[in-house]
Each structure stands twice: as structure tokens, then as C-alpha cells.
Amino acid sequence: MRNIALDTVDATPRPVLAIGTDYPHGAQLPPHTHRRAQFLYGMTGLMEVETADGAWVVPPHAGVWIPAGARHAVRMVGVATRSLYIEPAAAPRPAAICEVLTVSPLLHQLLLSAAELPALYDQAGRDGALIGLILHELAAAPVLPVFAPLPPDPRLGALCREILRAPDLRIRPDDIARRLAMSPRSFTRFFRSQTGLSFGAWRRQACLMAALSRLAAGQPVTTVALDLGYDSPAAFSTMVRRLLGRPPSALAGNV
């Protein structure tokens, strides 16, 4: 199915519905929910996803798992998507929050094929086997570390959103502690209790997510690295390769 609204087929008695959608550059989907779980795969470009739990950047060759009922907003940067909408009882992943998943070449081809299926596909034949294999591949897909959890505390949450808009490795935890009228030690404990990460690890995630967005928009690797506070493009490249398994050059200009 291509370029149709989910609500026109949501009641179809099938565990999985596959829909392909083409979005204009820069399209923004306001906060919304789905009754079904969703796997949103951008075949081209890059997606930015935000929920109450945090923010994710979804680079090329990856997709985002969105649990049933999770309220989310999405910004598309040159994206043509393939989405799976999955009944909660058939969901292949137990995660209660979104996850960015690596899409293997096999899963990529399966998603392309699934988008050609009608809503009432034959569950007992080839179409049903295709859907079953997709669910197995989704269950096994590795998670990419491109997530920055947002703390529930309103003041700290506002500061974290501010940093996400302009992340920089040179932002010091002492500066954030001072803005919250906390001692550095108290801030360190508080930040970890709110996010599950140290401030340094969270800041690195925020920088990585910003880097992916800027590289996808065509900014030079050197410019991105220095703007984000890395000592050198080489140090930045090492970080990206270690976390994503690919050099920054493989992610540049993919919109």
C-alpha cells in the first residue's frame, strides 16, 4: 500500500499492515499516537523523533521502533518511508520506549516487498510468510546508540532541550549545576537519577545526534566536528565509527 492514511485500513484483521509514504523535505508530523506499534524506516534521508522519554535521530539504513500508544513527533529530512503497523499482541520487541534499529540488507528488501502487499494479504501463503520473516528480523535487529533521554524534572528537561538544540562537548556539567543552583556533586547524582546516564555520556549522545543531522544536510565533516567541540576531525571520526560502525563520510549528504 502506498501513500494512504493508516486510519483507512487500521481495522483490517491482519497482524501487520505495511504502508509506503513519500514526504516532502522538512515535513513535520505533530505529536500523535497509533493504536498499533510502528516500525518507521526511512529509505532515504534522516528522521528526528521526539517523545516524552527522549529524542532520537534515525540515520540512513536505520529505522525507529515505536511502541503502541507512544506519543511521538517526527521531522523528516528528505525521507521516503516504509512503515509497518503491528498489532500489540504481535509486537516482536518488548521495549516500552522507542529504539533506533539497524536495517540489514535483508530487512530492507523485505520492507520494500511488504509495501506492495494489499491490506487483506493472504496469511496462509507467500505474503504471510513474508510478514512472519519481517517480524523475526525486527526481533533480531541491533539497537543503535542514537538516543538522548529527556529527564522528567521540568527545569532540567528544559535545559536538556536547550542543549539538544545546540550541543557542544565544551558544555561543562558545573555550568549546568550552577544554573540549577546545585553543587556539582548533587547535580551529578541528580542527572544520572533522571536520565540513567552521566552528563558526559548524555552530552556525547546529543552531539552524535546533531552530527548525524548536519552531515545528512551536507555540512563538511571538519565543520561539524569542530563546531561540536571535538579536538580534531580524526577524533570525531573515531567516535562515529566506534558507535555506528561507519565513518562520517558514509553518512554525509544522504538526503
PDB file of all heavy atoms in Angstrom, residues 90-114:
ATOM      1  N   ALA A  90       1.166  -8.891  18.485  1.00  0.00           N
ATOM      2  CA  ALA A  90       2.141  -9.471  17.564  1.00  0.00           C
ATOM      3  C   ALA A  90       3.486  -8.750  17.613  1.00  0.00           C
ATOM      4  O   ALA A  90       4.405  -9.109  16.865  1.00  0.00           O
ATOM      5  CB  ALA A  90       1.592  -9.433  16.134  1.00  0.00           C
ATOM      6  N   ALA A  91       3.621  -7.749  18.483  1.00  0.00           N
ATOM      7  CA  ALA A  91       4.845  -6.943  18.517  1.00  0.00           C
ATOM      8  C   ALA A  91       6.064  -7.815  18.801  1.00  0.00           C
ATOM      9  O   ALA A  91       6.077  -8.560  19.792  1.00  0.00           O
ATOM     10  CB  ALA A  91       4.724  -5.847  19.564  1.00  0.00           C
ATOM     11  N   PRO A  92       7.112  -7.739  17.962  1.00  0.00           N
ATOM     12  CA  PRO A  92       8.281  -8.609  18.160  1.00  0.00           C
ATOM     13  C   PRO A  92       9.313  -8.060  19.131  1.00  0.00           C
ATOM     14  O   PRO A  92      10.304  -8.724  19.409  1.00  0.00           O
ATOM     15  CB  PRO A  92       8.877  -8.683  16.746  1.00  0.00           C
ATOM     16  CG  PRO A  92       8.542  -7.347  16.150  1.00  0.00           C
ATOM     17  CD  PRO A  92       7.195  -6.966  16.712  1.00  0.00           C
ATOM     18  N   ARG A  93       9.106  -6.835  19.637  1.00  0.00           N
ATOM     19  CA  ARG A  93      10.079  -6.245  20.560  1.00  0.00           C
ATOM     20  C   ARG A  93       9.364  -5.839  21.846  1.00  0.00           C
ATOM     21  O   ARG A  93       8.270  -5.262  21.807  1.00  0.00           O
ATOM     22  CB  ARG A  93      10.764  -5.028  19.929  1.00  0.00           C
ATOM     23  CG  ARG A  93      11.482  -5.349  18.624  1.00  0.00           C
ATOM     24  CD  ARG A  93      12.359  -4.207  18.177  1.00  0.00           C
ATOM     25  NE  ARG A  93      13.517  -4.018  19.022  1.00  0.00           N
ATOM     26  CZ  ARG A  93      14.689  -4.628  18.866  1.00  0.00           C
ATOM     27  NH1 ARG A  93      14.848  -5.500  17.887  1.00  0.00           N
ATOM     28  NH2 ARG A  93      15.693  -4.375  19.670  1.00  0.00           N
ATOM     29  N   PRO A  94       9.990  -6.094  22.998  1.00  0.00           N
ATOM     30  CA  PRO A  94       9.335  -5.807  24.281  1.00  0.00           C
ATOM     31  C   PRO A  94       9.554  -4.388  24.781  1.00  0.00           C
ATOM     32  O   PRO A  94       8.988  -4.001  25.802  1.00  0.00           O
ATOM     33  CB  PRO A  94       9.997  -6.810  25.224  1.00  0.00           C
ATOM     34  CG  PRO A  94      11.386  -6.959  24.683  1.00  0.00           C
ATOM     35  CD  PRO A  94      11.249  -6.855  23.179  1.00  0.00           C
ATOM     36  N   ALA A  95      10.384  -3.594  24.096  1.00  0.00           N
ATOM     37  CA  ALA A  95      10.764  -2.276  24.603  1.00  0.00           C
ATOM     38  C   ALA A  95       9.541  -1.389  24.818  1.00  0.00           C
ATOM     39  O   ALA A  95       8.641  -1.329  23.980  1.00  0.00           O
ATOM     40  CB  ALA A  95      11.732  -1.595  23.634  1.00  0.00           C
ATOM     41  N   ALA A  96       9.535  -0.667  25.939  1.00  0.00           N
ATOM     42  CA  ALA A  96       8.446   0.251  26.253  1.00  0.00           C
ATOM     43  C   ALA A  96       8.720   1.653  25.746  1.00  0.00           C
ATOM     44  O   ALA A  96       7.862   2.527  25.834  1.00  0.00           O
ATOM     45  CB  ALA A  96       8.210   0.281  27.759  1.00  0.00           C
ATOM     46  N   ILE A  97       9.938   1.899  25.248  1.00  0.00           N
ATOM     47  CA  ILE A  97      10.276   3.181  24.649  1.00  0.00           C
ATOM     48  C   ILE A  97      10.786   2.940  23.234  1.00  0.00           C
ATOM     49  O   ILE A  97      11.045   1.801  22.839  1.00  0.00           O
ATOM     50  CB  ILE A  97      11.334   3.953  25.463  1.00  0.00           C
ATOM     51  CG1 ILE A  97      12.671   3.194  25.480  1.00  0.00           C
ATOM     52  CG2 ILE A  97      10.846   4.198  26.891  1.00  0.00           C
ATOM     53  CD1 ILE A  97      13.804   3.996  26.068  1.00  0.00           C
ATOM     54  N   CYS A  98      10.914   4.027  22.484  1.00  0.00           N
ATOM     55  CA  CYS A  98      11.392   3.906  21.104  1.00  0.00           C
ATOM     56  C   CYS A  98      12.825   3.367  21.071  1.00  0.00           C
ATOM     57  O   CYS A  98      13.598   3.547  22.016  1.00  0.00           O
ATOM     58  CB  CYS A  98      11.351   5.261  20.411  1.00  0.00           C
ATOM     59  SG  CYS A  98       9.698   5.957  20.222  1.00  0.00           S
ATOM     60  N   GLU A  99      13.159   2.722  19.965  1.00  0.00           N
ATOM     61  CA  GLU A  99      14.517   2.237  19.722  1.00  0.00           C
ATOM     62  C   GLU A  99      14.857   2.495  18.262  1.00  0.00           C
ATOM     63  O   GLU A  99      14.015   2.311  17.382  1.00  0.00           O
ATOM     64  CB  GLU A  99      14.628   0.731  19.974  1.00  0.00           C
ATOM     65  CG  GLU A  99      14.386   0.287  21.393  1.00  0.00           C
ATOM     66  CD  GLU A  99      14.453  -1.224  21.515  1.00  0.00           C
ATOM     67  OE1 GLU A  99      13.781  -1.924  20.728  1.00  0.00           O
ATOM     68  OE2 GLU A  99      15.184  -1.706  22.392  1.00  0.00           O
ATOM     69  N   VAL A 100      16.084   2.912  18.004  1.00  0.00           N
ATOM     70  CA  VAL A 100      16.577   3.012  16.636  1.00  0.00           C
ATOM     71  C   VAL A 100      17.285   1.703  16.301  1.00  0.00           C
ATOM     72  O   VAL A 100      18.189   1.275  17.024  1.00  0.00           O
ATOM     73  CB  VAL A 100      17.530   4.204  16.465  1.00  0.00           C
ATOM     74  CG1 VAL A 100      18.138   4.213  15.058  1.00  0.00           C
ATOM     75  CG2 VAL A 100      16.774   5.517  16.708  1.00  0.00           C
ATOM     76  N   LEU A 101      16.850   1.060  15.226  1.00  0.00           N
ATOM     77  CA  LEU A 101      17.342  -0.269  14.868  1.00  0.00           C
ATOM     78  C   LEU A 101      18.081  -0.237  13.540  1.00  0.00           C
ATOM     79  O   LEU A 101      17.683   0.465  12.597  1.00  0.00           O
ATOM     80  CB  LEU A 101      16.164  -1.245  14.753  1.00  0.00           C
ATOM     81  CG  LEU A 101      15.209  -1.326  15.947  1.00  0.00           C
ATOM     82  CD1 LEU A 101      14.081  -2.311  15.640  1.00  0.00           C
ATOM     83  CD2 LEU A 101      15.952  -1.723  17.216  1.00  0.00           C
ATOM     84  N   THR A 102      19.132  -1.013  13.454  1.00  0.00           N
ATOM     85  CA  THR A 102      19.842  -1.199  12.191  1.00  0.00           C
ATOM     86  C   THR A 102      18.982  -2.018  11.237  1.00  0.00           C
ATOM     87  O   THR A 102      18.418  -3.043  11.624  1.00  0.00           O
ATOM     88  CB  THR A 102      21.173  -1.925  12.423  1.00  0.00           C
ATOM     89  OG1 THR A 102      21.999  -1.132  13.278  1.00  0.00           O
ATOM     90  CG2 THR A 102      21.904  -2.163  11.109  1.00  0.00           C
ATOM     91  N   VAL A 103      18.878  -1.552  10.004  1.00  0.00           N
ATOM     92  CA  VAL A 103      18.132  -2.285   8.976  1.00  0.00           C
ATOM     93  C   VAL A 103      19.138  -3.005   8.082  1.00  0.00           C
ATOM     94  O   VAL A 103      19.914  -2.375   7.360  1.00  0.00           O
ATOM     95  CB  VAL A 103      17.239  -1.337   8.151  1.00  0.00           C
ATOM     96  CG1 VAL A 103      16.609  -2.073   6.972  1.00  0.00           C
ATOM     97  CG2 VAL A 103      16.142  -0.747   9.036  1.00  0.00           C
ATOM     98  N   SER A 104      19.146  -4.321   8.162  1.00  0.00           N
ATOM     99  CA  SER A 104      20.062  -5.132   7.354  1.00  0.00           C
ATOM    100  C   SER A 104      19.630  -5.113   5.893  1.00  0.00           C
ATOM    101  O   SER A 104      18.483  -4.755   5.577  1.00  0.00           O
ATOM    102  CB  SER A 104      20.062  -6.570   7.860  1.00  0.00           C
ATOM    103  OG  SER A 104      18.781  -7.166   7.626  1.00  0.00           O
ATOM    104  N   PRO A 105      20.519  -5.489   4.972  1.00  0.00           N
ATOM    105  CA  PRO A 105      20.100  -5.575   3.563  1.00  0.00           C
ATOM    106  C   PRO A 105      18.893  -6.488   3.364  1.00  0.00           C
ATOM    107  O   PRO A 105      18.014  -6.192   2.548  1.00  0.00           O
ATOM    108  CB  PRO A 105      21.351  -6.133   2.873  1.00  0.00           C
ATOM    109  CG  PRO A 105      22.485  -5.650   3.723  1.00  0.00           C
ATOM    110  CD  PRO A 105      21.965  -5.709   5.133  1.00  0.00           C
ATOM    111  N   LEU A 106      18.826  -7.593   4.120  1.00  0.00           N
ATOM    112  CA  LEU A 106      17.669  -8.480   4.007  1.00  0.00           C
ATOM    113  C   LEU A 106      16.396  -7.786   4.459  1.00  0.00           C
ATOM    114  O   LEU A 106      15.366  -7.819   3.761  1.00  0.00           O
ATOM    115  CB  LEU A 106      17.889  -9.739   4.844  1.00  0.00           C
ATOM    116  CG  LEU A 106      16.678 -10.688   4.970  1.00  0.00           C
ATOM    117  CD1 LEU A 106      16.199 -11.147   3.599  1.00  0.00           C
ATOM    118  CD2 LEU A 106      17.012 -11.870   5.862  1.00  0.00           C
ATOM    119  N   LEU A 107      16.430  -7.133   5.628  1.00  0.00           N
ATOM    120  CA  LEU A 107      15.241  -6.449   6.120  1.00  0.00           C
ATOM    121  C   LEU A 107      14.828  -5.324   5.181  1.00  0.00           C
ATOM    122  O   LEU A 107      13.631  -5.088   4.956  1.00  0.00           O
ATOM    123  CB  LEU A 107      15.492  -5.917   7.532  1.00  0.00           C
ATOM    124  CG  LEU A 107      14.313  -5.227   8.224  1.00  0.00           C
ATOM    125  CD1 LEU A 107      13.076  -6.115   8.250  1.00  0.00           C
ATOM    126  CD2 LEU A 107      14.695  -4.792   9.634  1.00  0.00           C
ATOM    127  N   HIS A 108      15.789  -4.638   4.606  1.00  0.00           N
ATOM    128  CA  HIS A 108      15.494  -3.591   3.626  1.00  0.00           C
ATOM    129  C   HIS A 108      14.659  -4.142   2.472  1.00  0.00           C
ATOM    130  O   HIS A 108      13.620  -3.578   2.093  1.00  0.00           O
ATOM    131  CB  HIS A 108      16.802  -2.987   3.100  1.00  0.00           C
ATOM    132  CG  HIS A 108      16.637  -2.081   1.931  1.00  0.00           C
ATOM    133  ND1 HIS A 108      16.300  -0.749   2.041  1.00  0.00           N
ATOM    134  CD2 HIS A 108      16.761  -2.326   0.597  1.00  0.00           C
ATOM    135  CE1 HIS A 108      16.221  -0.210   0.836  1.00  0.00           C
ATOM    136  NE2 HIS A 108      16.505  -1.140  -0.051  1.00  0.00           N
ATOM    137  N   GLN A 109      15.095  -5.250   1.913  1.00  0.00           N
ATOM    138  CA  GLN A 109      14.370  -5.839   0.778  1.00  0.00           C
ATOM    139  C   GLN A 109      12.990  -6.343   1.208  1.00  0.00           C
ATOM    140  O   GLN A 109      12.015  -6.220   0.457  1.00  0.00           O
ATOM    141  CB  GLN A 109      15.195  -6.982   0.178  1.00  0.00           C
ATOM    142  CG  GLN A 109      16.485  -6.533  -0.492  1.00  0.00           C
ATOM    143  CD  GLN A 109      16.245  -5.579  -1.652  1.00  0.00           C
ATOM    144  OE1 GLN A 109      15.215  -5.658  -2.332  1.00  0.00           O
ATOM    145  NE2 GLN A 109      17.188  -4.682  -1.894  1.00  0.00           N
ATOM    146  N   LEU A 110      12.908  -6.891   2.404  1.00  0.00           N
ATOM    147  CA  LEU A 110      11.614  -7.356   2.899  1.00  0.00           C
ATOM    148  C   LEU A 110      10.641  -6.195   3.058  1.00  0.00           C
ATOM    149  O   LEU A 110       9.450  -6.314   2.728  1.00  0.00           O
ATOM    150  CB  LEU A 110      11.791  -8.077   4.234  1.00  0.00           C
ATOM    151  CG  LEU A 110      12.574  -9.394   4.208  1.00  0.00           C
ATOM    152  CD1 LEU A 110      12.833  -9.878   5.639  1.00  0.00           C
ATOM    153  CD2 LEU A 110      11.826 -10.462   3.426  1.00  0.00           C
ATOM    154  N   LEU A 111      11.123  -5.073   3.554  1.00  0.00           N
ATOM    155  CA  LEU A 111      10.256  -3.910   3.730  1.00  0.00           C
ATOM    156  C   LEU A 111       9.784  -3.362   2.393  1.00  0.00           C
ATOM    157  O   LEU A 111       8.627  -2.926   2.249  1.00  0.00           O
ATOM    158  CB  LEU A 111      10.992  -2.825   4.519  1.00  0.00           C
ATOM    159  CG  LEU A 111      11.265  -3.162   5.988  1.00  0.00           C
ATOM    160  CD1 LEU A 111      12.260  -2.193   6.590  1.00  0.00           C
ATOM    161  CD2 LEU A 111       9.966  -3.152   6.784  1.00  0.00           C
ATOM    162  N   LEU A 112      10.658  -3.372   1.397  1.00  0.00           N
ATOM    163  CA  LEU A 112      10.244  -2.945   0.055  1.00  0.00           C
ATOM    164  C   LEU A 112       9.139  -3.843  -0.481  1.00  0.00           C
ATOM    165  O   LEU A 112       8.139  -3.366  -1.044  1.00  0.00           O
ATOM    166  CB  LEU A 112      11.443  -2.961  -0.900  1.00  0.00           C
ATOM    167  CG  LEU A 112      12.580  -1.973  -0.638  1.00  0.00           C
ATOM    168  CD1 LEU A 112      13.596  -2.047  -1.770  1.00  0.00           C
ATOM    169  CD2 LEU A 112      12.052  -0.564  -0.505  1.00  0.00           C
ATOM    170  N   SER A 113       9.308  -5.134  -0.304  1.00  0.00           N
ATOM    171  CA  SER A 113       8.297  -6.079  -0.799  1.00  0.00           C
ATOM    172  C   SER A 113       6.987  -5.938  -0.034  1.00  0.00           C
ATOM    173  O   SER A 113       5.896  -6.017  -0.614  1.00  0.00           O
ATOM    174  CB  SER A 113       8.816  -7.517  -0.672  1.00  0.00           C
ATOM    175  OG  SER A 113       9.942  -7.727  -1.495  1.00  0.00           O
ATOM    176  N   ALA A 114       7.069  -5.716   1.265  1.00  0.00           N
ATOM    177  CA  ALA A 114       5.856  -5.641   2.084  1.00  0.00           C
ATOM    178  C   ALA A 114       4.979  -4.471   1.681  1.00  0.00           C
ATOM    179  O   ALA A 114       3.741  -4.546   1.766  1.00  0.00           O
ATOM    180  CB  ALA A 114       6.231  -5.532   3.561  1.00  0.00           C
TER     181      ALA A 114
END
